[in-house]
Amino acid sequence: MAGRFITIEGGEGAGKSTAQLRLRATLESRGISVVCTREPGGTPLAESIRQTLLDVEGEAPVEMAELLLIFASRAQHLAKVIEPALAAGKWVICDRFTDATFAYQGAARGLSNELISTLERLVQEGRQPDAVILMDLQPHIGMERAKSRGALDRFEQEQHHFYERVRSGYLARVHENPARYTVIDAEQELQSVYNELDKLADRWISEHDR
């Protein structure tokens, strides 16, 4: 049986990594083999691209270069990690995927959705997440959390209006296709987030077994 592809989206400090670890633990406790990964990244080459994108010291890529680097990383990631894992019947939980590209490079950077959609078709060849979780919170709260973790990367050093556009971009995606997304209030207590994630995992397992 083919695996299931789940992505977790959200702005800075939204708790995506925490949600990913919880989902993994819940699914594995129910006997499901899980691969956790992230974007940009997931393979040695893709991780080197990630470093280039996040580096605050090196030359910052222009908007188009940034977009192309992200899709180059995604192509490698899909071929080397995501598709093989799904074909082997594993569940893949990815910290960010193409929804992030529409939010960051589209809504926040100002590149057209048409351009991003064209690259999406070329690189992904129809591959889309089976489920998307949006960890939603107000940007100023997310940035307070991000700052508490230590040094900020290039994306974390943007101005407040950038993060507002990112959040608006994500919420616009949800509005366009609400059935595709589960929005979780990332400002609530952690145990409440865990409870929502556990219910989601149980529902997915039930659907997958039908």
Side-chain angles (χ1 to χ4, degrees):
M1 182 181 293
R4 193 173 179 95
F5 184 29
I6 298 160
T7 60
I8 304 176
E9 298 285 355
E12 315 307 319
K16 297 185 299 351
S17 298
T18 300
Q20 185 184 51
L21 291 174
R22 178 67 177 200
L23 277 176
R24 179 177 193 164
T26 302
L27 291 169
E28 288 183 339
S29 73
R30 287 153 174 77
I32 293 173
S33 181
V34 178
V35 172
C36 284
T37 188
R38 67 178 181 177
E39 287 213 347
T43 79
L45 176 58
E47 288 292 334
S48 69
I49 294 173
R50 178 188 179 91
Q51 185 59 40
T52 297
L53 289 166
L54 301 186
D55 187 12
V56 296
E57 301 296 335
E59 179 184 3
V62 298
E63 288 85 352
M64 182 61 73
E66 181 179 276
L67 178 66
L68 294 173
L69 284 169
I70 285 169
F71 270 105
S73 168
R74 184 163 296 141
Q76 191 76 5
H77 192 203
L78 281 163
K80 296 294 186 179
V81 175
I82 295 173
E83 295 295 353
L86 293 174
K90 299 178 181 180
W91 288 36
V92 177
I93 306 175
C94 190
D95 182 337
R96 292 204 175 115
F97 196 61
T98 312
D99 284 293
T101 311
F102 282 99
Y104 279 80
Q105 284 67 51
R109 295 278 191 229
L111 296 174
S112 75
N113 283 347
E114 181 180 2
L115 171 61
I116 297 171
S117 294
T118 298
L119 291 170
E120 179 183 31
R121 288 191 297 271
L122 288 170
V123 170
Q124 295 171 216
E125 298 182 329
R127 172 60 68 193
Q128 293 291 337
D130 296 297
V132 182
I133 298 170
L134 174 60
M135 303 293 293
D136 181 53
L137 80 172
Q138 298 180 68
H140 73 275
I141 295 175
M143 284 313 302
E144 288 174 3
R145 293 179 180 178
K147 289 175 183 177
S148 71
R149 297 191 303 236
L152 301 179
D153 63 39
R154 190 167 65 85
F155 283 95
E156 293 170 340
Q157 292 185 3
E158 293 286 349
Q159 298 300 310
H160 181 75
H161 58 79
F162 177 88
Y163 310 121
E164 291 284 0
R165 293 197 297 270
V166 167
R167 187 187 188 201
S168 295
Y170 274 129
L171 293 176
R173 300 276 289 170
V174 174
H175 179 73
E176 290 166 6
N177 190 3
R180 186 170 182 262
Y181 299 87
T182 298
V183 180
I184 292 180
D185 178 5
E187 296 178 30
Q188 63 185 320
E189 293 183 358
L190 184 58
Q191 187 57 54
S192 296
V193 172
Y194 283 168
N195 291 342
E196 291 192 43
L197 292 169
D198 291 348
K199 290 178 182 177
L200 268 180
D202 287 338
R203 191 184 82 198
W204 292 334
I205 293 168
S206 176
E207 293 171 350
H208 200 65
D209 290 341
R210 289 175 189 169

